[in-house]
Amino acid sequence: MTRFSGWNRYPVVDQPLHAARDRRDVLSFSTAGTGRVARGNGRSYGDAAIGVSETLSTLKLDRMKSFDAASGLLTAEAGVLLADIIATFLPRGFFPRVVPGTRFITLGGAIASDVHGKNHHHDGAFGNHVQDLLIVTPCGELVRASRSENAELFRATIGGQGLTGTIIEATLRLMPVETGWIRQRTIAASDLGEAMRTLEENDGATYSVAWIDCLARGAHLGRSLVFLGEHAKVEELEGGAPDKRFPKVAPPLLGVPFDFPSLALNKLSVRLFNEFYYRWGARRVGGPFQVDIDPYFFPLDGISNWNRIYGHRGFVQHQCVIPTERAASVLAEMLERITHWGSASFLAVLKKFGAASDGLLSFPQPGYTLALDFPMRPGLLEFLEELDKCVMEAGGRLYLAKDARQSQATFEAGYAQTVGVFRSLRQALDPVSHVKSRLAERLGL
Amino acid sequence: MSDTPKTLLVLGATSDIGRATAHWFARAGWNVMLAGRSLDALGREADDIATRFGVSVTAHALDILTTGSFADFLDGLYCLPDVVVSAVGLLGDQGRAESELAHAVEVVRTNFEGPALVFDMVAARMIARGSGTLVGISSVAGDRGRASNYSYGAAKAGFTAFLSGLRNRTAGKGVHVVTLKPGFVRTRMTEGMRLPGLLTAEPAEVAKAIFKAVEAKRDIVYVRSVWWFVMTIICAIPEGLFKNLKL
Ligand SMILES: Cc1cc2nc3c(=O)[nH]c(=O)nc-3n(C[C@H](O)[C@H](O)[C@H](O)COP(=O)(O)OP(=O)(O)OC[C@H]3O[C@@H](n4cnc5c(N)ncnc54)[C@H](O)[C@@H]3O)c2cc1C
Ligand SMILES: NC(=O)c1ccc[n+]([C@@H]2O[C@H](COP(=O)([O-])OP(=O)(O)OC[C@H]3O[C@@H](n4cnc5c(N)ncnc54)[C@H](OP(=O)(O)O)[C@@H]3O)[C@@H](O)[C@H]2O)c1
């Protein structure tokens, strides 16, 4: 028995957590029982990487297989971390086409959640850049899937939260970059409307995201800093010695070694954090400056175990996407409700999505996505139901990788167009539910 | 580093420590040869290392219990490597070793006989060339026998004594021998055991210690120096007292 949870430490379970050392282990594990699911690095927030009865860690499937510099194609096992891919290939001038807000996720987890980055409006989600997969299906068959071979299985696996079997290997295309630096531009936006306009007007920027100050209210509701970024070219490098083309990728600096008392994250400390983050970010509003990739893409990775700040009760993320036409009013209403409810969100991130990808349960669709963190406390789950209603009425949906609590009805409304296809495919693939996560059980998948 | 890349041979390259060692040297630009009993498993490691570090990697079949194959194995390598590390080992099951002769024999042969015989043959070739380093991974378990794993411990004690003799033989002939005692390491061998944090190293730490020991030509290395202290105390306990302890 192992005690474990998602990154948000809610819910927590005690159950067997097996570790596969190689593909043979995956093959023998898959059919030996029911109610099992694969797990990557446990960075999803909730119960997606927790089996109903048992869970299989893929972290030891961490071998790379081949890389072709001419095409940028990398084949690697599913347990390889993005951090590892970046540390290996950035010094050689390659970078993953899509990276989320942490580099400590596995290749398998990136595919199973079809993760998005700050460039979704241009480059789509992670799965767009995956060429093919090697999957151990729930019935224990080793199957290759791509857009041309077992295409249905491929579509269901991209964003499929591990429910179509265990990915053991994937081939993805890395993109060439001239340097390991980002030219960042920070724009201050005084309210939500201005933040959305700024994102809209800067659609041409490769990377864009807005950090919302959740404590600003009234006329300043949605006050934000918009962070834009471009990969720096060699001739743009400041003090550009050629040996500085690729900065060293830093290990986490500062740990949070023990849990903060659950009460510590009160309004005061959230306010302090907000003030600090804002002052610090706002210093650099204006012309572009150069940063390395860590602070730009992975600001929270600098503090290992930052999830412990929330104490042992854990926290919950709420990430929705609202179709463009309704986004301004619905997001304003949600922020308004949060202010009235009185418990601040520690972190609020706004991003404009581009076209949806073809993964059946992929989260991104055209519109604006808002991600919020809430420390767990009495009344929170009921309050989040209110936010869900806003999302549902606007034709939006919630991100499964950040979900520990949405109702089946909310889920079915959000994914109405594809959930039927996904269910029947799963029924055919896995009639006895060899594979089933707590999330799948909760959402009737 | 010199212009032509150096070559490392790892015996037991599918072990967690062997793998970490190969990575450490490859990161520094060394070419590596991987030896072990499963060519499949070695191929997986070889692809990984070649992809990550862009060095040349080859895989070679070797069962440390088949002593008659050693000469062919060494002849089959494309060159005599600069450094050879033996990470072959078998902790075994002490209870089984006490009642099952074949298991006791396997533990002793895997930890002592096999590695010692290969090293003797490699040493002869290195002496003829006038250069090279041999790194034997032994164990603190060989510093003093304990009821919980004395078959393994005795085999490692034999290997430690062998390495000391080999070092004595090769001294002044351009060939160096390192005896490495890792202490507890978090690997497949110790999976599921409760290990004290302060005394337990990660495989990469062992790899780094090996790399440094090769460069600095160290003789006997405890990966975490606290182990030298611990073992000095354990070895100082009078036998009359020691025999009644549960350690
Ligand atoms: C600080 C932080 C920032 C984040 N920012 C973003 C962001 O910007 N954009 C974004 O999209 N996400 C973001 N995330 C979420 C994270 O990227 C996803 O949850 C991702 O799936 C986690 O990968 P993991 O390896 O930790 O997988 P886990 O959390 O262990 O598993 C996630 C899902 O993948 C499945 N899975 C894992 N491995 C396999 C496999 N080998 N085969 C089949 N299924 C598998 C699991 O069953 C589960 O359903 C963030 C998370 C954190 C902690
Ligand atoms: N872990 C510790 O706490 C610790 C402490 C002190 C010393 N050590 C020593 O460190 C070394 C590496 O061990 P590890 O911890 O990394 O454990 P490991 O992963 O169990 O490694 C054992 C290695 O020995 C190989 N091996 C066993 N029998 C063999 C045979 N007949 N022929 C060829 N190879 C054989 C195994 O190959 P297969 O993959 O084919 O099984 C594997 O590569 C060992 O010498 C061990 O005694 C370990």
Side-chain angles (χ1 to χ4, degrees), chain B residues 125-227:
Chain B
R125 295 174 189 221
M126 285 184 168
I127 290 172
R129 182 177 64 187
S131 71
T133 304
L134 290 149
V135 181
I137 305 187
S138 191
S139 173
V140 297
D143 288 4
R144 192 160 193 180
R146 293 178 295 130
S148 58
N149 64 4
Y150 64 90
S151 295
Y152 173 77
K156 288 293 193 187
F159 192 42
T160 300
F162 167 85
L163 291 169
S164 153
L166 189 65
R167 178 158 47 241
N168 192 205
R169 168 186 166 199
T170 60
K173 303 195 171 80
V175 178
H176 185 66
V177 178
V178 180
T179 306
L180 191 95
K181 300 180 184 179
F184 297 131
V185 190
R186 224 177 297 281
T187 68
R188 175 171 44 144
M189 189 176 273
T190 54
E191 206 169 273
M193 297 185 195
R194 288 177 147 257
L195 301 175
L198 202 67
L199 296 176
T200 306
E202 295 300 325
E205 230 175 303
V206 181
K208 183 179 174 188
I210 291 175
F211 191 82
K212 281 171 66 179
V214 167
E215 284 199 314
K217 293 198 189 305
R218 303 263 317 266
D219 296 324
I220 299 172
V221 177
Y222 289 88
V223 171
R224 290 199 168 184
S225 33
V226 55
W227 272 106

Side-chain angles (χ1 to χ4, degrees), chain A residues 340-356:
Chain A
H340 280 135
W341 190 57
S343 176
S345 168
F346 184 48
L347 193 145
V349 181
L350 178 72
K351 158 94 206 122
K352 182 170 180 269
F353 274 158

Side-chain angles (χ1 to χ4, degrees), chain A residues 99-419:
Chain A
V99 293
T102 172
R103 61 196 153 94
F104 297 118
I105 71 165
T106 62
L107 187 50
I111 294 165
S113 293
D114 197 15
V115 300
H116 56 269
K118 296 174 169 64
N119 56 344
H120 188 274
H121 57 294
H122 278 292
D123 298 314
F126 198 89
N128 286 18
H129 312 286
V130 171
Q131 199 157 75
D132 70 82
L133 300 173
L134 205 53
I135 302 169
V136 173
T137 64
C139 289
E141 264 183 283
L142 190 63
V143 172
R144 196 168 282 285
S146 67
R147 286 179 184 79
S148 53
E149 189 182 355
N150 295 310
E152 267 226 298
L153 178 63
F154 186 80
R155 274 187 75 199
T157 302
I158 304 283
Q161 298 296 337
L163 299 176
T164 57
T166 301
I167 304 162
I168 57 171
E169 192 180 290
T171 299
L172 75 156
R173 197 182 294 278
L174 303 181
M175 71 173 160
V177 290
E178 280 188 26
T179 76
W181 299 92
I182 295 294
R183 284 179 72 75
Q184 178 177 337
R185 202 148 68 82
T186 305
I187 303 173
S190 61
D191 59 21
L192 182 67
E194 195 176 324
M196 291 176 68
R197 266 197 308 284
T198 308
L199 289 173
E200 184 68 54
E201 284 163 6
N202 289 284
D203 216 35
T206 305
Y207 299 104
S208 65
V209 71
W211 281 74
I212 298 184
D213 176 0
C214 261
L215 296 176
R217 24 175 90 207
H220 293 298
L221 189 73
R223 178 175 72 152
S224 306
L225 293 175
V226 178
F227 300 133
L228 307 177
E230 300 295 334
H231 287 281
K233 299 213 162 58
V234 174
E235 68 264 20
E236 292 169 341
L237 284 189
E238 292 161 12
D243 59 326
K244 294 276 169 59
R245 262 176 74 180
F246 298 103
K248 259 206 150 21
V249 184
L253 295 172
L254 201 70
V256 179
F258 48 82
D259 298 355
F260 274 56
S262 280
L263 293 175
L265 199 82
N266 57 23
K267 252 187 174 168
L268 182 68
S269 51
V270 174
R271 180 174 296 279
L272 285 174
F273 174 83
N274 256 282
E275 286 298 324
F276 173 76
Y277 200 83
Y278 266 80
R279 295 261 167 85
W280 182 75
R283 273 182 323 147
R284 313 206 78 168
V285 166
F289 59 97
Q290 183 174 313
V291 290
D292 64 42
I293 58 139
D294 277 331
Y296 186 74
F297 291 108
F298 317 117
L300 289 165
D301 285 353
I303 312 171
S304 54
N305 301 329
W306 62 263
N307 55 338
R308 296 185 155 210
I309 284 176
Y310 288 98
H312 70 272
R313 280 193 228 145
F315 61 108
V316 166
Q317 270 237 349
H318 188 276
Q319 180 168 2
C320 65
V321 54
I322 308 287
T324 315
E325 323 73 69
R326 301 286 311 280
S329 63
V330 173
L331 292 176
E333 186 189 337
M334 289 173 64
L335 290 180
E336 196 76 64
R337 278 175 190 261
I338 293 167
T339 316
H340 280 135
W341 190 57
S343 176
S345 168
F346 184 48
L347 193 145
V349 181
L350 178 72
K351 158 94 206 122
K352 182 170 180 269
F353 274 158
S357 53
D358 51 5
L360 287 177
L361 294 186
S362 283
F363 166 64
Q365 60 181 14
Y368 284 84
T369 179
L370 177 65
L372 305 159
D373 272 8
F374 296 96
M376 200 57 180
R377 59 170 243 201
L380 175 67
L381 296 177
E382 293 77 4
F383 171 69
L384 293 178
E385 294 278 335
E386 287 179 36
L387 294 188
D388 288 358
K389 234 178 251 151
C390 303
V391 174
M392 232 179 356
E393 280 164 18
R397 51 163 66 162
L398 298 183
Y399 189 9
L400 295 179
K402 305 269 183 91
D403 174 39
R405 31 73 42 198
Q406 76 173 302
S407 68
Q408 185 169 336
T410 305
F411 166 68
E412 283 172 355
Y415 293 82
Q417 282 174 11
T418 48
V419 67

Side-chain angles (χ1 to χ4, degrees), chain B residues 12-17 37 62-65 87-89 110-111 137-139 152 156 182-185 187-190:
Chain B
T14 51
S15 67
D16 290 327
I17 293 175
R37 50 188 166 177
L62 172 71
D63 188 327
I64 212 72
L65 298 174
V88 172
T110 307
N111 290 296
I137 305 187
S138 191
S139 173
Y152 173 77
K156 288 293 193 187
F184 297 131
V185 190
T187 68
R188 175 171 44 144
M189 189 176 273
T190 54

